[in-house]
Structures are given as C-alpha cells and as structure tokens.
Amino acid sequence: MKPEREKRLAPDNNISKTGYRALFVLFKLMELPRTRDEILELFSKDPILKDDISKDTVTITINTLKKAGCLISRPSQRTLNRYVLKSHPFNLQFSLSNIEALQSLRESIVTFQDLYLLIYLNNFYIKAASLAPDEETKNLLIYKHPLAEINYDILNELVIYARIKKPVNICYDSPENKKENFDFIPEYLTFESEKLYVWGYSKKYNEFAYLRVDRIKSVNLITVYSASEKNIEFKKTVETVLYKLKGYSALMYSENKEETVKYEDKNSEYTLTISAEVSNKFNFFQRILSYGTDCLIISPESAKAELKEHLKNIKAGYENEKY
Amino acid sequence: MKNTKISNAGYRVLEILKELTKRPLSPDEMLRYLELSTNYLYRKELVLKYLNTLKLLNIDIDKIDGKYFIKRSIESIDFDKKDLSLMLFIRKYIDTIGHEGFKNNIEESLQIIERCFPKQILDCVRTNTIKPYVPKKSLSVKDENVKKFEKYCNDGLGLELKYKNYQLNNKNNLYKIVPLKVVYKKGKSVLIAYDPKDNDYKEFVLENITDVKQNPQKQIKGSPSSVLFKLKGRLAKSYMLKNGEILLETGDDFIVISNKNEDRELLIRRLLRYYDKCEILYPKICRERIIELINEMEAMYA
C-alpha cells in the first residue's frame, strides 16, 4: 500500500502544476521573504516542481500571485533582493453585516457595565480585526469602544493597587489644572455612562474622589512614607439616601458599588426602592438628575433639598442665557 | 523588457481559492465563477483538478451538501485559551437571544473566527478542558416579542404603537413610527424607530409596547433634525463625543455639540446630569421640554 503523500503525488493524481507552483510560492513567502535563487532551490527539492525549473518560472509565478491580488515587493537592495509578501487575499473575511453584528454585540455588552468582560471582548476583537475586509472596518473593531482611550497597563496597575489598597502617585491630566501629580489610594473601579472611573481617597483634596481612568497618565506605587503618613487612615463620609425608581429608569437600573435594591414590587408604580451609600454627592446627583421624573427621593430631607437646589440652578441657566 | 507574463491556470486556481474564502461553492458555481471572470468555457473536470491542487497543498477543504468550503484558514491568528473561553461565552449568550438576524450574523462571524484558531487551542473544546467565560453577574436577556419586531423592521412598513408611558401614570401613548432596528440594552430588547411627526429617533422597550398595528404603506425614513447643546467649563474640556455627535463650535470655555441619533427624551435626561454646565440651544421644543422636566421634578418635592 502506498503511503498517503505518495498516493497524493502519484502521476494519475490530476492536479494543476502551475496552480500548485503559485500556491507553493505563496506559502513559502508567507513563511519569510525569499530571493529568486532561494525559491529556485525550494523548487528543486519539491517532487512535483523539481523537473521544471527556470528563472522565468519564478517571475511568471510572482506575476500570477500579484494578478490574483497579492502585494509583493520587487526584490531590491533594500529587501536584500528578496520578494516580500506584504498582503494576500486568501484569508477568510468578515462581511460588512458580520462587522455590524459584532459591533452591536459589543454595544449590548457595554450596557451591562462589566469591565472585565469588555476588556476580554476588546482583546478578542483586536485579534479578529485582521479578518476585516478593509482598514475602516478593521479600525472599528479595534478602536470603536468606550475603553479605546485607556492605557491597559495603567488600568492593570489600578486594578492591582485597588485590590491591595496601596497608595500610589498619580499623574492626572485634569481639564482644569492640566497635568498634576497627587497621591491617591484607589479602592474600586466603576463603569458609568460608557466611561471608566477609579474611586479612592485623594490626600491632596482630602476627599473620597473619582477620576476618569483615561485621563490618568501614570501610576507609581509609593514605597516610602513619612512616619505620620504610615498610619493615615481615611474615613470616608457616607450618607444613606433612599430613593424609588419607576419606568424606563427602573427597567434599565443595575446596582453598583454604593447602591443596593432594597425592595422590588412589580405591582406598584415605583417598582424599585434603592438604598444608596453616597460618598460623592456630585456623582450621586448626576445619576438622580438623569432619571428625571422616574425617580423620587424618599429620605433624607437634606437630599431632597439639595436636588431642588440643583434643579433651581439648572433652570436659572435657561432663564438667564439666550443663544 | 519587463516580463509581465502570467500563468493562466495558476491564476484560476488562486481565484478559486480566493472565492472559497468568501463562501462555500459547488463545482458548478466554481465553473460559472471562472467562466464569468475569464470569459472562457471550461469543463467541470478542470474544477476538480483545481480542488485536488488545493488539497495537495494541505489546504483544509471539506464538502457539505454538495458545496466545498475552506475548513481552516490558510493562516491562523494567535487566539489563545482565554479567547476560546470568551468565544464559548458569546455562543452561550447569543443562544439566549431571539433576534434571528443578529444571532445568525454573530454565529457566522464566530464560525469565521473559529476557522482561524490555532488547531491545538481548538482541540481544547473537544477535550472539554475549556469552559465558557463566566461574567461577574449573569447576563440575562428578555426579548419575547423580538421576532415580530425584527420582521416589522425588515418589512419597512409604518407601525402604530401603543406604548406604556410612565410619565402619564402608565397610560398608553400612541405613536406612528417607522421601525428601524432592534438593539439590546442591559438584556432588554429595544426598538429604534423614526418618528416622522417629531422628526426624531425614538426608543421603545419591547416589553412596554402594549399594542402594535402594521400599516400597509411603505414609510420613508426621514433625516431627523439635530439637537444642539452647549457645554461649559471643565466639562467642555473633557467631554467625549458620543456615537453620531458632531462638535460644531469650540470657544474659550465652551463647546457646542450637535446630536442627531439619540432619543430626545433620553438625551434631555442625559444632559440634565451635567447640571448647569449644559444648555440646550436648539430646537426650541427641546429647550422647553428640559424646563418642563425640571418643573415636573420640582413639583414632586413641593
């Protein structure tokens, strides 16, 4: 019995020799750039091509590959007289509707606000981007997501330091103060309104603050402390606010680090009652304002008063300004 | 003189391979493809000869239902076990989705990706050593009526919707809209539609649609008018444009943005979160609506 390879190479096996040669050269150039002589030598070692060798054969084969859509640079001094295969059209390819569906999938995943899942998905898409039919769709897969501006090394460090609650020195590109350095103890990360934030204690401002991760330019672990700094323990001020949600906001609500659903009653007008441990009022009222009339603060009275104050200020802006 | 000669048979083999990377083909389809692209007539045996050539070079070709297809890409991508675990998760997730078009498109994309995985990684599925990625919280999907609305979107006819409106004590609002697409937000299926009356896009959570009637006439989707808003202070410096937003003007301490794509009611609520650092400039109806919304919110605590 003939071995498989021998059987396949038997003369009665009907193949296109020139097609074989074109693919043979393509595969060899996919491995590495080669000179004409190197290709001829490879021909001489191949049982199918060995009897049909000439310099012209190489040129014709390269021309054939080029006509089929391969981008092969001409041998020159710069390429050390090698043919360099820059691209070829024989890889599998997504259709435009595949790209659109993959983007929709990512958009739907983003709404779940699961940071780690999104990071995994982005990495997966970066690799899959080589299957995109053109540069535009390739860039869509690589860059069109809310974490595009984030440096993953910095994000990694923040995740680690938040886990062990170690003080770090951060270089932050603030919209107001430009680049500034300050010490910060990261506690956790949140993903809100398609932006990633790190929450923690800022020694400089003596408050529990949140920073946009894409604006953090560097993170350095603080290893040397003064004696007084070593024992510093920051107690964040937390105010408990109880509020109810209905409608679209209730349907789309998801718990976060500071909030838990206390009651859920599908039969009442306000289906959710939420308890919030508010450590940053600005961020909390941002959320409350975006719920519009779907939200009703139950307690404390001070939170209601503060919301009313914000509403008054926003309205005043409309009364004073005319475009 | 420059040698520009090519090998025609070699070219045809390459063309067959190229076309097979795009779609499965029967020998007849390959023959037709070659005849159309070269203007010559060929015998069917020629195609089989070309397929033999591809197979001889270890190109993994298989045949299902009379059609040949490339089983594995000629070049693999450096996908690893994490990617495989994520791919298994995506498959599991889309399995829970009822939107056929979306589901099929994702499955088709995953099949293409799968054919580019290194073989040894893919073998982990067979040996059951890789499990699907498990997210922190399980992602549940609620989309009972999605197939019906997927069809409405494909039909392109107008719809009359009754939609539960929470602002009006759960009374139904009637909308005459052009359905465009169904998307998923936090696992809920949401219909994106064009409203010719208000000349804007609107979002309808499918589970809140209480009644729907399809009109027999084809509805033309218009181009919605923009909402212009101004952001001031530090927000102007740090604002990241959303999908479909255009930066119209940049001043010393402000920017003006045009937004066309968002549901206006949802946009107005989003803009409220920017406190007094944001002002809606145009159209007048949106300016009035944000003031009305503030009044309604104030009245809740009067």
Side-chain angles (χ1 to χ4, degrees), chain A residues 8 111 127 252 282 318, chain B residues 55 83 186 275 280 295 301:
Chain A
R8 287 160 90 191
T111 63
K127 291 179 186 173
M252 295 295 174
F282 182 82
Y318 280 93
Chain B
K55 286 178 188 167
D83 298 314
K186 294 201 175 171
Y275 293 89
I280 295 176
N295 288 336
Y301 301 96

Side-chain angles (χ1 to χ4, degrees), chain B residues 20-56:
Chain B
L20 277 172
T21 61
K22 292 179 192 155
R23 60 195 172 114
L25 293 167
S26 68
D28 284 339
E29 285 169 330
M30 288 185 222
L31 204 59
R32 259 200 310 279
Y33 173 74
L34 282 182
E35 287 172 353
L36 278 172
S37 54
T38 59
N39 265 335
Y40 282 99
L41 293 175
Y42 302 101
R43 283 175 300 117
K44 200 172 172 178
E45 289 74 29
L46 192 82
V47 166
L48 299 173
K49 184 172 162 177
Y50 292 171
L51 284 169
N52 283 340
T53 311
L54 298 178
K55 286 178 188 167
L56 186 60

